[in-house]
Amino acid sequence: MEMKTKKPPFNIPDQVPVVILDDVVIFPNIIMPLTFTEESDLKLINDTAVGSKIVGIFSRKMSKNGETVSDDIFPVGTAATILKLFRMPDESLRIIVQGMQRIKLEEMTQSVPYLVAKINVLENEYKQNLKTEALHKNIIETFKKIAQLNEAIPEEIVAAVMNIKEPAVLADFIASNLDIKQKDRQEILKEINIEKRLDDLSSIMGRELRLMEIGSKIEDQISDQFAKSQRKYYLRQQLKEIKKELGEDQDLPVEIIEYEEKINKAKLPNDAKEAAEKELDRLKNMNPASAEYTVSINYLDWMVSLPWQVSTKDTMDIKKAQQILNKDHYGLDDIKERIIEYLAIKKLNKTIKGPILCFAGPPGVGKTSLGQSIAKSLGRKFIRMSLGGMRDEAEIRGHRKTYVGAMPGRVIQNLKNVKSNNPVFMLDEVDKIGSDFRGDPASALLEVLDPAQNSTFSDHYIEVPFDLSNVMFITTANQLQPIPAPLRDRMEIIQLPGYINEEKVKIAQKYLIPRQIKENGLNPKDISFTISAIRKVIAEYTREAGVRNLERELGGICRKVARKFAEGNKKAVKVTKDKIEKYLGPIKHVSEVINRDDEVGVATGLAWTPVGGEVLFIESVMMPGTKGFILTGHLGDVMKESARAAMSYIRSKAGELNIDSRTINKNDIHIHVPAGATPKDGPSAGITIATSLASLLSKNPIKHDIAMTGEITLRGKVMPVGGIKEKVIAAKRAGIKSIVIPKQNVKDLDTIPDNIIKSLNIHPVEKIDDVWEIAFVGNKNTFSTK
C-alpha cells in the first residue's frame, strides 16, 4: 500500500535530529522515559531541548540471533517532543518524550556531531465501517483476557484501554503496552490504514493469548505436582512425630548418621560443634528434594573437614633449621636470623603466636621461594595465595551460605586443603590488591594479619570463629607505598635489597646453573661455566636487582647445549667468556659508567625505583638564546623544583663563585636526563643537578666514576634522602668507585653489607661546596664560598 503524506498538524519541521534506539519502538501519543550516555546523543538532546524540542525516533533492526544490525534502521519512526529533561549524577541524561505522529525517513542530511534527517509526516487512512467497530471490540476483549493471565499488566492500563474510543489511538496504546516482538511493533507502527492496523494487531494479540493460555496450563500442572510433593512431606513429618510419641525407633538416613559420627570425631570447638549440631538437626527435618538440603550438606562438609585442632609439630632443632635456610638461599641474613629467633623463642615459650612478616624488595630476589624454605625449616605445611589483582572482599571472608554457590574465603579453603591449622601461609603481592564496589580486600586482611584479632577470625560462610593465631603469615611486596597504612602497621617489615654482581656469581654457581642443568635434561659433567663467563652474562645480558633474568639467560645457554647432545654430539661443553655471544647473541646492556670519560656538565646520580636502585646521568649544555632554563627527560614536578633550586643557588652566589652573571643571562641552559621515556621524580637529584651546572659554568670536568645523591636547599645545604641502601648497591653493581651522600644518611650505611661498604669510597657531605671539591677532576675547589 502506498503511504500518503501531508503537512503535519503539529509544527514538525522537515528536518529533525534522529535518535536511534535498540529494541524500542515509540508510538504516537505514548509518553516514555529514555536514558542516554553516548556523547553524540548527549549533544543532540542538549541542543534539541533548547530548540524545537522535537526529535525523530527510529528503531534499529535486530539480526536473527538477537543482536543489533548497526547501520540498518526501520524507515518509519515517530516524531516526539521532549517534555522533561533530567541530568543524572553519572553525567547521563534522562528525558521524558511523548510521541506525536508517524514519520518516514527520506534521507540523512547530517552525521556529525549527531544525525539529522529529512522526513515526511504520515497521515492515517481511516474509514469507519462495521469491520473496524468489530475489530475495536474484539481487541478490547482479547486484551482483558491477556491482562487476566499476565499479572504484570496493571488494572489502570485495562481501564484506560476500555475508555479509548479512537481505533488508531487504541491500536498504538495496546501495541506499546504488550510484551511483543520488535518486528510486530514495527509492523503496527508503519501501517497507516487503520482497518489494516487493527486487523494486524488482532492477529498478534490472538497468538499471544494462545501462548499465554498454554503457559498457564503448564504452570498449573507443575503446581499440582509440587502440591503433591509437599503433601507427602507433611505426611512424613506427621509420621515421624507419631513414631516419636509411640517411642518407636526412627530410621535416619545413612548420611545423617555419618555426619553425626564425623562431628564427634572432628574435635570441633564448642561454638563450632554447637553450630554443626544445629545444622544437622535442621537437616533431619528437611525434605531431601528441597534446595536447602544441599546447602546444609555442603556446610556440614566444610565444618567437619576443617583442621580445628589439627596441627603439625614444629622442628625444634635450630641448627638443622639454619642448615636448611642456608642450603636453599644465599645471603638474606636478616630474614634467616628472624626465623631462627622465632624458633628459639618457640622452644622456650610453646604458646607464642605466629609472627606476621612482610618481605619487601625488588622482583627476583627470592621473596616467594624463601617462604617455602621457611616452611621446610620449621617442618610445617606451606600455602601460597596470590593477592595480585584481587578486588572482591569475599575472596578473604567468603560468602554467606544462603547465597547460591556460596563457599568460604580462600584463607579457610587453603587451610582445609593442607589439613593443618599452623602452616606457613604466604600472601604474595600484597601491594597489588585492588578495590571496587565488591569491597576492599585489604581491609578484610586487617583481621587476618592482626595477632590480637586473628584468634577469632570469622568467615562469612562458616559463621563461627576460627583460630588463625598459630599460622605464620608471610606477605611479599615490591613496594610499601601502595599498602594501606593500617595494614602496613600490622606487619613486621623486612627489606630485601638487590644483589651485587659478586653475590649473583655465587647464586648462579650454587643454585641457578645446577637447576637449569637438571631442568634441561643435562648432567653436571656435560656442561660447565667459567666464572668470567658468568660475570659476562651478569654484566652484559642482564640489568636487574634480582636473578630472574640471569637464570633465564643461563637456561638459554643450557638449552642450546642440550640440543647438541640430542643431535648426537656428546662432547662435554665448557662455557667460557668468549662463547657467550655465540649462545646469547649480541650484548644487550653496556655499562655507561665504564664507557664514559670525565666530562664537563655530565654528573652521575643515584635513584631509587620500586625494583631497586638505578644509576642515572644528568647532562647540561649552554648555548646562545633567550629561552632561559630548559628541563627535559620526562621529569616530575619535584625534580624540576630541585633543578630550579640548584640554579637559583648558583645564580645567588655568582659573584662569590667567580661566575659572570651576564653569561647566564645571555645564554640558554638546558638540563637533560637521558632515558626520556622513563618518568623520573624526587628531590635526591638536587646535588647532582647542581654539580652538573657548576661544571658547565666553570668548564671543570666531573669525575666519571663518582656518583651522588642528596637534596639541595637554596642555602646550599645537602639534605638527607631515602633509599640509600638500594642506591649504594646499584652504584656497586654499575662499577662506581666513589659515592657522595648527605651526612645525615650515614646511619643508613649500617644496613649495607660490610663487603660493599669496604669496596667503595663513601663521602658524607653537609654543603654543596664539599660535593664540588670531591667531584671535580683534580679536586679543584674553583667555587668555594667558605
Side-chain angles (χ1 to χ4, degrees):
M1 178 183 294
E2 183 181 354
M3 297 183 181
K4 296 183 179 180
T5 62
K6 73 167 189 176
K7 190 174 180 181
F10 307 96
N11 189 18
I12 300 175
D14 293 332
Q15 294 189 33
V16 293
V18 173
V19 174
I20 301 175
L21 302 179
D22 294 333
D23 201 23
V24 176
V25 178
I26 294 180
F27 289 87
N29 302 306
I30 302 301
I31 297 175
M32 182 177 289
L34 298 173
T35 301
F36 297 94
T37 57
E38 295 293 332
E39 194 172 323
S40 60
D41 291 336
L42 299 180
K43 172 71 173 170
L44 184 153
I45 299 302
N46 283 322
D47 290 352
T48 308
V50 297
S52 67
K53 298 188 178 182
I54 295 176
V55 294
I57 300 179
F58 296 84
S59 291
R60 185 180 279 113
K61 292 183 179 179
M62 308 291 288
S63 63
K64 291 182 180 179
N65 59 5
E67 297 179 351
T68 58
V69 181
S70 59
D71 296 323
D72 202 358
I73 62 175
F74 290 100
V76 177
T78 305
T81 182
I82 300 174
L83 300 179
K84 288 187 179 181
L85 184 147
F86 306 92
R87 300 188 186 278
M88 309 306 289
D90 60 354
E91 298 185 356
S92 64
L93 290 179
R94 186 175 178 86
I95 63 172
I96 296 177
V97 298
Q98 181 176 8
M100 299 165 65
Q101 194 157 342
R102 287 168 169 78
I103 56 174
K104 181 182 177 184
L105 191 149
E106 296 296 335
E107 62 174 336
M108 292 290 184
T109 59
Q110 176 182 305
S111 59
V112 178
Y114 48 79
L115 297 175
V116 176
K118 182 179 180 182
I119 55 104
N120 279 329
V121 179
L122 302 178
E123 175 191 3
N124 287 327
E125 294 179 352
Y126 176 58
K127 185 176 181 180
Q128 189 172 7
N129 53 44
L130 291 175
K131 185 177 180 180
T132 57
E133 290 180 9
L135 287 170
H136 189 284
K137 291 180 180 180
N138 181 59
I139 286 171
I140 292 176
E141 292 302 318
T142 305
F143 186 79
K144 288 164 66 176
K145 293 177 182 178
I146 291 174
Q148 289 175 353
L149 295 173
N150 188 352
E151 297 179 356
I153 300 177
E155 294 180 1
E156 293 82 359
I157 297 294
V158 179
V161 167
M162 295 178 66
N163 290 320
I164 296 176
K165 303 302 180 183
E166 296 182 25
V169 177
L170 177 71
D172 291 345
F173 186 83
I174 290 179
S176 65
N177 284 282
L178 272 184
D179 185 16
I180 57 178
K181 296 178 181 178
Q182 180 204 29
K183 182 180 177 182
D184 293 334
R185 281 202 179 98
Q186 193 66 38
E187 286 296 322
I188 301 298
L189 181 66
K190 81 172 186 178
E191 187 55 64
I192 60 173
N193 185 290
I194 304 302
E195 182 178 325
K196 182 70 169 59
R197 189 187 305 170
L198 293 172
D199 200 6
D200 291 344
L201 179 61
S202 180
S203 299
I204 293 169
M205 292 177 68
R207 185 182 72 239
E208 291 295 318
L209 180 59
R210 287 191 295 273
L211 288 173
M212 295 183 73
E213 287 173 343
I214 294 170
S216 179
K217 184 178 179 181
I218 295 172
E219 188 176 345
D220 290 339
Q221 291 174 351
I222 294 172
S223 298
D224 290 341
Q225 292 174 1
F226 183 74
K228 289 177 183 178
S229 175
Q230 288 293 97
R231 183 170 177 272
K232 289 179 181 179
Y233 171 71
Y234 288 129
L235 289 173
R236 287 195 191 99
Q237 292 299 108
Q238 289 175 354
L239 183 60
K240 285 182 182 179
E241 294 299 322
I242 292 170
K243 285 186 175 183
K244 189 183 291 185
E245 290 295 326
L246 294 174
E248 297 178 1
D249 294 334
Q250 299 183 49
D251 295 328
L252 293 174
V254 175
E255 62 183 1
I256 300 292
I257 298 172
E258 289 178 352
Y259 278 115
E260 285 182 339
E261 294 175 355
K262 288 179 180 178
I263 290 171
N264 292 329
K265 290 180 181 179
K267 298 180 181 179
L268 276 66
N270 292 335
D271 291 345
K273 188 173 183 180
E274 184 179 334
E277 289 176 344
K278 183 178 179 182
E279 194 68 26
L280 187 62
D281 290 338
R282 291 181 67 245
L283 193 67
K284 291 176 182 178
N285 300 320
M286 206 176 290
N287 183 1
S290 68
E292 287 194 8
Y293 190 85
T294 305
V295 173
S296 294
I297 288 289
N298 291 338
Y299 179 77
L300 289 172
D301 277 336
W302 278 101
M303 293 295 283
V304 299
S305 301
L306 290 175
W308 299 94
Q309 307 289 342
V310 181
S311 58
T312 56
K313 188 176 180 181
D314 285 344
T315 301
M316 290 302 171
D317 189 337
I318 295 177
K319 289 185 178 179
K320 183 180 178 181
Q322 182 81 57
Q323 289 173 356
I324 292 172
L325 290 171
N326 290 334
K327 180 183 176 182
D328 291 346
H329 286 81
Y330 178 83
L332 307 178
D333 296 330
D334 291 344
I335 295 176
K336 292 177 181 177
E337 185 178 353
R338 180 64 183 87
I339 301 306
I340 298 303
E341 288 173 354
Y342 169 72
L343 273 179
I345 296 171
K346 180 80 173 177
K347 198 171 184 178
L348 301 174
N349 180 10
K350 304 293 184 184
T351 61
I352 183 176
K353 295 181 179 180
I356 314 294
L357 305 177
C358 177
F359 299 162
V365 296
K367 299 184 295 296
T368 304
S369 60
L370 189 59
Q372 296 174 323
S373 297
I374 292 171
K376 186 178 176 183
S377 66
L378 295 175
R380 294 189 179 190
K381 302 285 185 68
F382 177 72
I383 299 170
R384 178 187 168 274
M385 175 176 152
S386 178
L387 301 178
M390 183 181 290
R391 295 179 176 275
D392 191 352
E393 180 187 341
E395 294 272 3
I396 305 296
R397 290 189 178 276
H399 297 86
R400 304 284 180 190
K401 66 175 182 285
T402 51
Y403 290 112
V404 176
M407 60 194 309
R410 288 171 62 186
V411 174
I412 296 296
Q413 288 181 43
N414 282 299
L415 291 176
K416 177 197 172 187
N417 292 338
V418 298
K419 298 180 174 61
S420 171
N421 67 0
N422 68 334
V424 173
F425 202 129
M426 173 160 281
L427 300 170
D428 217 2
E429 310 291 358
V430 72
D431 57 329
K432 297 174 182 64
I433 299 177
S435 63
D436 59 15
F437 63 92
R438 292 169 290 185
D440 182 6
S443 298
L445 281 176
L446 293 177
E447 182 183 4
V448 175
L449 299 181
D450 191 337
Q453 299 181 41
N454 64 9
S455 60
T456 56
F457 171 70
S458 179
D459 186 277
H460 287 160
Y461 184 84
I462 62 174
E463 294 180 325
V464 291
F466 190 95
D467 187 0
L468 297 178
S469 62
N470 294 322
V471 179
M472 174 183 274
F473 284 103
I474 299 174
T475 65
T476 69
N478 293 131
Q479 46 187 324
L480 298 174
Q481 289 81 357
I483 304 175
L487 183 58
R488 196 164 60 238
D489 182 60
R490 283 163 168 77
M491 301 184 292
E492 180 182 340
I493 296 170
I494 302 177
Q495 293 279 359
L496 279 75
Y499 297 113
I500 59 174
N501 290 353
E502 287 80 358
E503 291 175 325
K504 290 184 180 181
V505 170
K506 293 179 180 178
I507 291 170
Q509 289 177 312
K510 192 173 180 180
Y511 304 102
L512 306 183
I513 292 175
R515 183 160 63 220
Q516 286 301 317
I517 289 175
K518 183 178 179 181
E519 288 183 0
N520 288 283
L522 299 170
N523 294 316
K525 63 181 180 181
D526 296 334
I527 182 172
S528 61
F529 290 77
T530 64
I531 293 179
S532 60
I534 298 172
R535 286 200 177 107
K536 184 178 179 68
V537 174
I538 293 169
E540 298 179 358
Y541 289 87
T542 65
R543 180 167 290 177
E544 57 178 343
V547 292
R548 191 167 287 150
N549 286 327
L550 173 59
E551 183 173 11
R552 195 173 291 124
E553 298 294 344
L554 294 173
I557 296 174
C558 291
R559 285 194 300 275
K560 287 178 173 59
V561 173
R563 177 182 173 181
K564 288 186 177 180
F565 272 77
E567 292 172 347
N569 186 353
K570 301 293 184 179
K571 186 179 179 180
V573 175
K574 185 177 184 180
V575 181
T576 62
K577 179 180 180 181
D578 298 331
K579 295 180 180 178
I580 294 298
E581 290 191 39
K582 173 186 172 184
Y583 290 116
L584 298 180
I587 295 172
K588 296 179 180 178
H589 303 288
V590 178
S591 174
E592 296 186 52
V593 176
I594 293 174
N595 294 330
R596 284 182 178 265
D597 297 322
D598 300 339
E599 294 183 66
V600 171
V602 180
T604 306
L606 296 172
W608 178 92
T609 72
V611 294
E614 286 288 344
V615 173
L616 55 82
F617 302 95
I618 294 179
E619 304 172 344
S620 59
V621 295
M622 183 167 59
M623 58 278 187
T626 57
K627 293 183 179 179
F629 200 41
I630 305 169
L631 298 168
T632 58
H634 207 158
L635 310 183
D637 291 340
V638 177
M639 197 166 181
K640 289 178 180 179
E641 290 171 0
S642 296
R644 293 188 182 97
M647 189 64 192
S648 296
Y649 172 74
I650 292 175
R651 294 186 68 174
S652 69
K653 299 290 184 179
E656 300 174 32
L657 301 176
N658 300 320
I659 296 174
D660 188 350
S661 59
R662 290 174 297 178
T663 302
I664 300 175
N665 295 333
K666 292 180 180 180
N667 292 281
D668 291 342
I669 294 179
H670 186 165
I671 292 181
H672 178 68
V673 184
T678 305
K680 310 167 192 73
D681 204 1
S684 61
I687 66 171
T688 314
I689 296 171
T691 303
S692 174
L693 289 171
S695 169
L696 175 70
L697 295 170
S698 69
K699 309 301 181 186
N700 199 349
I702 303 169
K703 297 174 184 175
H704 72 280
D705 58 355
I706 187 168
M708 59 194 72
T709 182
E711 182 179 357
I712 187 174
T713 71
L714 287 174
R715 302 295 181 185
K717 293 183 179 180
V718 179
M719 305 299 290
V721 292
I724 292 296
K725 185 176 185 179
E726 290 80 4
K727 293 173 180 178
V728 171
I729 291 173
K732 172 65 177 173
R733 193 163 54 237
I736 296 292
K737 301 292 180 61
S738 301
I739 300 176
V740 177
I741 65 171
K743 192 169 185 178
Q744 294 180 52
N745 281 121
V746 171
K747 62 183 185 300
D748 297 318
L749 299 178
D750 295 337
T751 62
I752 303 173
D754 291 337
N755 62 320
I756 298 178
I757 297 294
K758 291 176 182 178
S759 65
L760 295 168
N761 294 319
I762 299 179
H763 305 278
V765 296
E766 291 182 310
K767 300 187 71 177
I768 190 63
D769 299 65
D770 302 330
V771 179
W772 295 339
E773 186 172 352
I774 297 165
F776 290 137
V777 173
N779 290 335
K780 296 177 182 178
N781 187 9
T782 311
F783 305 115
S784 178
T785 60
K786 297 178 182 176

